Amino acid sequence: MGTTAEYNATAGKVVIDEHQGHPGIKATTLDYGQINDEMLAMLDKPRPSYYLLLLGFLMALGLGALSLAIQVDVGIGYSGISHPIAWGFYITNFVFWIGIGHAGTLISAVFYLTRAPWRTAIYRSAEAMTVFAVMTAGLFPLLHTGRPWLAYWLIPYPNERMLWVNFKSPLVWDVFAVTTYMSVSIMFFMLGLIPDMAILRDEAIRKGKKLKALIYAPMALAWRGTNHQWIHYMRGYLIFAALATPLVFSVHSIVSWDFAMSSVPGWHTTIFAPYFVAGAIFSGLSMVMTVLIPMRAVFGLQDYITNHVIQSVSKMIIFTSMIVGYAYASEFFIGYYSGSPFERAIFYYRPFGEMESWTLLGENQINFPQIAFWLMVFCNVIAPIPLWRWKIRNNALAVWIITIFVNIGMWFERFNIVGSSLQHEYDPAAWGEYWPTVVEVGITVGSFGFFFTLFTLFAKSLPPMAIMELKEATNPPMRNAAKGH
Amino acid sequence: MSKFTGVWAIFEYLDETTETIEQVRKEGVQPTVISPCPRHEIDHALGEPTTIVPWIALAFGALGCFIGYSLPAWTASDWVLPVSGKPIVAIPPFTIIGFELTILFAAIHTLAGLALLGIIDSFRFPIPKGAKDYPRFQRDRFGVVVRCEESKLEEFENLMKKNGAEEVHVEK
Amino acid sequence: MLGKKVINLKQYFLVGLFVSAFFLALNTTTAYAEEQPIAFSHKLHTVQNGIACQYCHLYARRSFSSGVPPVSTCIGCHGPKEQKLVQPDSKEVNKMRTFWSDKEPIPWVKIHDVPDFVRFPHKEHINADSNRLLDDAGAGCDTKNAPRSLECKLAQFRTGGDQRCLACHGDVRQMEVITQVDENFGKMGWCMECHLQVKGAKERKRTGSTIAGWYHAKEMDKKREAAIGLVNEKGYHNPNMLDCYTCHY
Amino acid sequence: MKKGLSRRNLFKYVGAGSATAVVAGCENKPEKLIPMLVPPTDYEYTPQTAYQYMTTCRECDAACGMMVTTREHRAQKAEGNPNHPLNQGALCAKGQASLQTLYNPSRHAYPLADGKKIPWQEGLQQFSALTQTAAGAIAYLGKPAVGSEGDFLDEWLQAAGGGKRVDFELLSQNSQVEANQIAFNRADVPEYAFEKAGLILNFSADFLETWGNPVENARRFADMHAYQKGNKNKFVHISPHVSLTGAKADRWVVINPGTEGLVALAIAAVIQQENGSHTFLKAYLESYSPENVAEETGVSAEAIRGLAKEALEHGPLLAIGGGNVSATKQSVETLVAVNILNAVSGALDKTLRFYNQTAVKKSTHQDLLELISDLDAGKIKLLIIDDSNPVYALPPSMGFAEAIKKTFVVSLASQKSETTHEANLVLPALTAYESWGDAFPRSGVKSIQQPVMSAVNTFDAKAREDILINTVQSIDKTAFSGNSNYLDFLQDKWSKIQRELGDTRSFENFWISILENGGIYEKPKFARTALSRKVTAVKVSSPELVGQEGLTLLPTTSLLLGDGSGANKPWLQEVPNPMSQIVWDSWVEINPDTAQKLGINDRAIIEVKTPHGSVQATAYYHFGIHRDAIAIPMGQGHQHSGEVADGFGINVMQLLPGEFDNAGNLSFVGVQAELKLINEKSYTVNTDGNARQLGREIAAATTVEELAHPENHGSAHKRPTEFYPDRSETAGYYKPYRWGMTIDLDRCNGCSACVVACYAENNIPVVGKIRTAIGREMSWIRMERYIEGYGDDFETRFSPMLCQQCGNAGCETVCPVYATYHNPEGLNAMIYNRCVGTRYCSNNCAYKVRRFNWFNYEFPAPLDQQLNSTITTREVGVMEKCTFCVQRIKTAKYDAKDLSRDLEDGEVLTACQQTCPTKAITFGNLMDPESKVAKSALRETADKRDRQYEVLAELNYKPAITYLKKVNTREVLGHNSENHDSHQNSENHG
């Protein structure tokens, strides 16, 4: 929480350290009212450009919905998934979006516990992104099944068939992990919103907007801001942060076990859990930057989302990029060191394609997985290198471009894992190729549309920054300035 | 809810609020403070109040953990369908379910608990309607609500005024 | 408006009532019947005329399918129009005669239908040895109040003969119109509730499960194996009814 | 696919939207119960119960005995007649697919006059009138008679006023008959006793595919060639081309196209020198000494002497010749040479035995030429053609298609074809499943063909012979001595047979016993034979096909499509050719060395041009072809044979000149082709992911030498120590059954009959070319083909891959809903209706044998009538796989229960095992130590112990299928070999 204003018990008064401004908020001199009004102004009637943007995202979403409708009607066969590549774009998207969904909880929970002060300005948006990304991700396991209308069978509930689910299946773990993560993220998000909802409610009442008040009032959960409520609230928030922290690390570990628990060469590795978590944080933080840097420019939030924030996130990106890069290298080393011909074959195949001696006469073909692999290496390991320089980190545009690369790279990393291993499994006679179809690309585009539509709606309907925490971070109003300053 | 008898005041400044709180407490009355954001200064002034929310989380976390292990174990043994030569009741995979349900149960009940406690406390420590409807408490004003007997109303009113309250309301 | 009580217990009660009524309404599917091409009365034929089930459904003991009687079976008694045999002037019987003379089969509507992925052998049920039921299965049947209770179905099954047909199909002998009495007819749980009343079935269902889980408790499994009763007195292995492949393949 | 919001679709949307609606209401529309009007009374009929009828397979003239399973009066499965001496219960892929002859949607459904539908009455009248006017100028062109139909047709032609009968069979054995006539004075095809031979020298005959009776050949060959008691007899393939048959050979001797005869004589010369038999040949053979022929044949003298030495050491020898690849203009001479080799080596009357019978004379292809000239001259007024398809099969340069335009053509065919397309009047005939007939494929075997069901209801057809009888009787009432149908005629014939046999039963009883057994099977009687001295007059010379411009074109027969008659059967198109793994297409087999010299890549589209025509097809790299030759399989390139056949591949016959050998048989080899690259990429679909197994031991092999030293590899079979106890220790598990299988790769020859049988038994949908291209084929068992080695020294291995029913399966644990689990009988149960379709099981299956229903596949009517009604046909979004034919296990168990006993060994046969011609597959209960499968899987028989292996055993999936390694007589360089580059210089040793 890194407050600069501390209550000094011996002095019996609030002492403000004037030499150290709040790292997240430039203008610690803003008063409560100013913060309140500036934040609420962001929720004003949007400009036409906003609607244009929203329309664009809605169109992408519509494309996805159309593709999905076709697929459900005709059968999963409309996708390019086939034998032996039974998982393709959909599971890639699932893992990718779950990964994106890691940043929010990381920022709001882990950085809350570690008292990283720069989280204040961005955590609300990041959390919203988490919720939306996990919602997006949650769609994919459903729509990739052959009979999505029976997907509820994956939920353990007493039924007349007397049948239960197989709790030894990593997919059931997924069901539990993802639903828990989604529930906790949504609750955490709603929890953080409670005081802000009270602000919005009172604002709506003041302006006489009954409908808005009706919507905001239940979300405020009868919030008054009394000291009793605050004490439960702050303690509850801390517990939530403590609960969500292991979740951040567990969810992607469990998702990684979808792969690691199988016997597929290239999947069956112990490194997967940390590798996936690091990748998730990597991609999640990049997505946060990809989204917030334009938002900062549009809403003029330089006072709140300072360059310091961008720098801090950039450092995290470099750090996780190195972990991910290490994991790539480690995979290859273990693949070689295991001595298993299957492992060696797949790790040769990923970067270079068919080994000459595999084929009848030594033809070498470059396929989708090789493209995916080199894109992944470039975007995830090489592209973030410029961030080592302070000047680049301090340049919002440069960071934005790099994070876009990272997003692309992380998508292809997921594909690299899901797609390439299945192409070259144990039985060479059953090797196959995979190329996506229009339907899959449509649904993928639709998932981005879904995510960004939700986020765009969020930006105008809920305060994209935690007003309460901003107030907490700024200097409190003091009658006797001399006492403090 | 019994009728509210007491004094409530609106403050602009934090230091004046904490000053007031401390003085009210010296009078033997625990005031209810309304603030736009949590401040440690207020907690200190109020004497570090505590909450049972962590205990709720612990209790329900333990329940979730129990269910997380026992549900898979029971369902697996209810109709034995061996898969891949694995034990019917296999502890390692069930640990994941146990973990997830621990978190889920703890989280749900923490949220429910803190919301419920907040509502219960609003009955235990009622605030007058005027204070409830005053919109700037959520924005930029602090409020101090003192519930007292009629005899003490005037005393507290003066105390607040003295400490620089913007407005002081007396409810009978 | 904020001061208003939002929580109104009465409202909640009413909403709750409505929701539960809605779901109850959804769930109370009554006996299922469809309009048949001919108003054939099972009651008339079985009770009044005393015809046994397998007189018409003649493949029940020999095949997976019980067999819908061919039109020639009807004609066997009723005869073509000219012959003026049984019920020469009945409107409904004449419908059948028209089908016969037109050489058209009768498009009966299937009421008792199990899904296509279930392989239900009539013959195995008709020929099943009722001694394989648990000794107390069917005891305590209360015919008056709960004629379709599990106990009564088991009692009917134990009785054998035509009663055995009624165990699943309901009291067809009292039906003017063929009706599916059990709303869950053909659903898995409905089948299982009887199958679990077979000796050793419950033990087999829980075979191999151990509390410890980590290891198979061999001693415990040996006891269970004895309880399952793998081999019957005729010297061959009892069919396993708890295997999914029993019905689904 | 159905369009619009059908009920099922609605259900899907509703189901996705709200689960409650699905649970609470939303009942399906009620099904209709349609009873029979009158139940069949002539025999006891029970619905949903299998009835078996014995009949005869008429897909080729090998005429195997067939046992057809019918349910509800619909033929649902074809199996070999276990009593039949030729095939002994097995059937080939074509025989299995004969069901699709019956239910083929492109059968003629009604009579056609000039392509327009007419009523039967009119068609028959027209035919009668024509017959009457054309009396004396009638020609009947049909398949060669194997049974009584020959006599019938002769009688019919006589009754109709005279005419001639011409046989048409593209792949005929006439040259062989002629060669036998020259060499042994016997115009007959002898019995080849493979199992008695110690060495087989095969001169280009594809005896495992289309030559002779491939089912019988395969069995007898496997008996001879399979590893037994530390010994393995050799098989040397001497040919310019390696077909499926050649792939089974221990060694391939590359010879120049058309020089089989020279090699045979050179070997004979050496043998004659050594054993001194047939001294009258001495001078004759000297001119064919190895040194003399070495250059022309491309085989070194040492190699020939080596072969001769082997023949002397390992005899008795069996030399086989014939087939397309050696069918030059001199094919009769070539076959005489092979006969000389057999005689000189003493094979005669040992491995090569002539029946004591006089064979029926069949007309030759040259008679066709006469017919064509008659047609051209207008001498034929009415041409009747049966199901044969000469318009497609004959080289266009013969002018058959033009010639038949000059006459009136009546087609009595069941299937649509190019010929029926040209016919003026089509009177649809019934198939062999629906009509009477018989076949006498060899001495002592008399096989009956009975209708196993009434005619398929969607086709309005009549039996061919009945049409003919009807026609001729409308002219002459006394024809056929008043027999009103072919059955009467047949019964007359068979009562004669009864008299000949001296059977004293009433004919009624005799006839019933015939129908029950499927015919009469007597031991064949053989006649001693000797080599005729006239053979010295036969001059064998090289056709000089090598060294000219262009590459010699070798039209090869296709194992699945035959001469093209199989092309309209979806199963045969869908099942990959075992050698190339290509489906729904034609290809040009070309040696990689030649191709690279010409700049042609694998799978490039090339134009093949001969003086007689040109086609475009895909190049397929094949080590097993002479460097100056290309091979194109027959059977594709149809235009008017129905949806399944039309437009796929090319017809190689269009490239041939229509020349003949001395026997009047078409000479297939002799034309040179020019190649031109058209396109780098082609849309040719093959089902194998990779041709190399990378040393992964999926199709493993060992050598005889290795097996002689069991101490070297005994330890490899030890099972690893388990962390968990075996599932058999769980209560109720594996008692009394644990189903298991062994597959002997030394017996398996890759014929793919098992694959088709599985399609037929298990309602597996056919997905077509485009879907196969992206891996959507549904076969539960696939014939994996792996290539080892390079250049001429390559080896092809086959391994049927099906669900291994693992004890510790990878698929089970990952299924979230228990849709697949380990069943108490050791089966890896797949419960379709529980499947949600996450496909995780498929990912985690190391054997990749799970198939997913990507769509709701259609079985276009009336193919749906073939669907096995004892199992579920799967819907979209459901995983499926081999179940070890659980429906057969269940049925057998119910039957055993009625007899109050447990199942006995051999009572349950899986469809693949049942049809395997070589009996490579054993299935049964592993818990019964006396069962066959336990004996071959449980490491007891020393013969098998050292060959047993589990595929990918290191994963410890504990498969229930044990494979027995193929046994080689030599080492083949694997992919890991350092000599990998040797293929570049392989030309030197070629």
Side-chain angles (χ1 to χ4, degrees), chain D residues 131 133 193 295 403 412 448 471 575 667 800:
Chain D
T131 314
T133 50
E295 198 188 333
L412 302 176
I448 193 81
T471 310
V575 170
S667 95

Side-chain angles (χ1 to χ4, degrees), chain B residues 13 15-16 35 49 61-62 68 75 91 99 115 129 139 150 158 161:
Chain B
Y13 297 104
D15 48 355
E16 289 171 356
S35 58
T75 57
I91 303 301
F99 167 79
K129 191 174 177 311
R139 186 170 180 270
E150 276 188 48
N158 293 337
K161 276 187 181 154

Side-chain angles (χ1 to χ4, degrees), chain A residues 60-61 63-72 75-83 85-94 97 140 143-145 368 411 415 418-419 422-423 433-449, chain D residues 774 776 839 854-855:
Chain A
L61 175 60
L63 179 71
L66 186 73
S67 308
L68 180 60
I70 293 171
Q71 184 185 291
V72 172
I76 187 80
Y78 253 39
S79 65
I81 310 169
S82 68
H83 185 87
I85 303 97
W87 286 355
F89 261 35
Y90 300 143
I91 297 296
T92 303
N93 282 333
F94 166 67
W97 283 115
F140 281 99
L143 63 87
H144 103 286
T145 59
F368 200 30
W411 194 92
F415 179 79
V418 175
L422 291 175
Q423 302 195 8
E433 277 179 33
Y434 172 72
W435 290 94
T437 60
V438 181
V439 168
E440 279 166 297
V441 175
I443 291 180
T444 306
V445 170
S447 76
F448 281 85
Chain D
I774 48 173
R776 300 269 167 83
R839 304 185 295 283
W854 301 96
F855 299 101

